[in-house]
Amino acid sequence: MDFVEGEILAFDKPYKWTSFDVVGKVRWMLCRKLGIKRLKVGHTGTLDPLATGVVVVCTGKKTKIIDELQKHTKEYVATLQLGATTPSYDLEKPVDATYPTEHITRSLIDSVMPRFIGEIWQVPPTFSAVKVDGKRAYAYARKGEEIELKPKLLVIDELEIVSYDDDKKQLTFRVVCSKGTYIRALARDIGEALHSGAHLIALRRTRVGDIRVEDCLDFEHFTAMLETEI
């Protein structure tokens, strides 16, 4: 493999790693192995630290096609906790409010979910990398500063219920969506549609374009691959 000329690699991102952690690790490993000081490395789409799954990494001249690769559809499997919200819409922040759930049934969920299929308008989370006046939204949010984020038009191609635990009020679903979709924001909106609240307690990106998570590298296998390829 020619990492300077350019390669496309797919990794199963570990829990609590940022996408930039993955890029930094790949760059460090390749520079060390190749005996060079610099190498262009970039990823094709941010995945939240508390999520796992597919992160596509480009090296060398292949970084020029990152913008094109970012357009690919993505698939996730997400689990929501109904009846409670957090400021970040996931487990990064503690619960800030609780809501009734006695009225939530599988039948109600089945009636609500189709609302989120097709073209939808979504307001990004305040704890996100969306830029506002040149700064990331999360920079404002972490200082407790309120900002107004504009809704974005997205496309959700598929939304399928995987399971629902009525005792725990936990809903797991699979979603196929366009670039720029925030699954945390989808969790928020589903909670509101159920006349309750919700936040994300687990998220796994299972596909980016044609790349599936079962075909991805972990860093143990990547180390072994470098030993044989170079």
Side-chain angles (χ1 to χ4, degrees):
M1 301 180 80
D2 191 335
F3 295 102
V4 176
E5 187 63 26
E7 298 291 346
I8 298 175
L9 306 167
F11 291 89
D12 184 352
K13 186 187 80 65
Y15 184 65
K16 289 191 175 181
W17 282 42
T18 67
S19 299
F20 291 107
D21 289 337
V22 175
V23 167
K25 181 74 170 178
V26 171
R27 183 187 293 114
W28 179 83
M29 292 176 71
L30 289 176
C31 286
R32 186 167 177 264
K33 186 66 180 179
L34 296 170
I36 58 178
K37 291 184 177 181
R38 294 182 180 179
L39 178 66
K40 284 188 176 180
V41 182
H43 65 76
T44 68
T46 301
L47 187 58
D48 288 341
L50 300 186
T52 63
V54 184
V55 170
V56 180
V57 172
C58 296
T59 75
K61 295 178 182 179
K62 285 291 174 69
T63 56
K64 294 178 181 180
I65 64 170
I66 282 178
D67 287 345
E68 184 64 29
L69 295 176
Q70 285 179 333
K71 298 176 184 177
H72 289 174
T73 58
K74 299 174 178 65
E75 179 186 73
Y76 299 86
V77 174
T79 299
L80 311 187
Q81 177 63 60
L82 304 177
T85 57
T86 75
S88 57
Y89 311 147
D90 65 3
L91 295 175
E92 181 182 342
K93 296 293 180 180
V95 169
D96 61 354
T98 57
Y99 300 85
T101 57
E102 294 81 5
H103 64 286
I104 299 177
T105 63
R106 175 59 190 262
S107 177
L108 178 61
I109 294 170
D110 287 340
S111 69
V112 161
M113 296 296 272
R115 300 182 197 175
F116 299 96
I117 299 174
E119 289 189 343
I120 66 167
W121 289 94
Q122 183 185 79
V123 178
T126 52
F127 283 84
S128 68
V130 173
K131 282 193 174 181
V132 180
D133 296 331
K135 290 173 60 177
R136 301 292 184 183
Y138 59 70
Y140 295 98
R142 286 170 182 164
K143 291 180 180 179
E145 299 177 16
E146 292 190 7
I147 53 172
E148 182 177 351
L149 296 175
K150 296 180 180 179
K152 294 184 176 183
L153 184 62
L154 309 168
V155 178
I156 295 185
D157 296 309
E158 300 176 41
L159 186 59
E160 174 192 19
I161 297 172
V162 175
S163 64
Y164 175 58
D165 187 325
D166 190 50
D167 292 330
K168 294 181 179 179
K169 297 298 180 183
Q170 292 179 354
L171 170 66
T172 299
F173 61 84
R174 181 183 68 86
V175 58
V176 178
C177 54
S178 64
K179 170 191 173 183
T181 304
Y182 282 92
I183 309 303
R184 287 181 289 128
L186 183 59
R188 171 202 64 202
D189 296 342
I190 289 173
E192 290 178 358
L194 292 169
H195 303 291
S196 184
H199 64 280
L200 204 60
I201 60 172
L203 181 64
R204 186 157 176 76
R205 187 151 72 190
T206 51
R207 181 170 62 83
V208 173
D210 294 328
I211 300 172
R212 296 190 172 275
V213 70
E214 53 264 32
D215 301 320
C216 289
L217 293 162
D218 59 30
F219 281 97
E220 181 179 349
H221 288 97
F222 186 51
T223 300
M225 185 185 80
L226 292 182
E227 294 297 329
T228 58
E229 291 286 345
I230 300 177

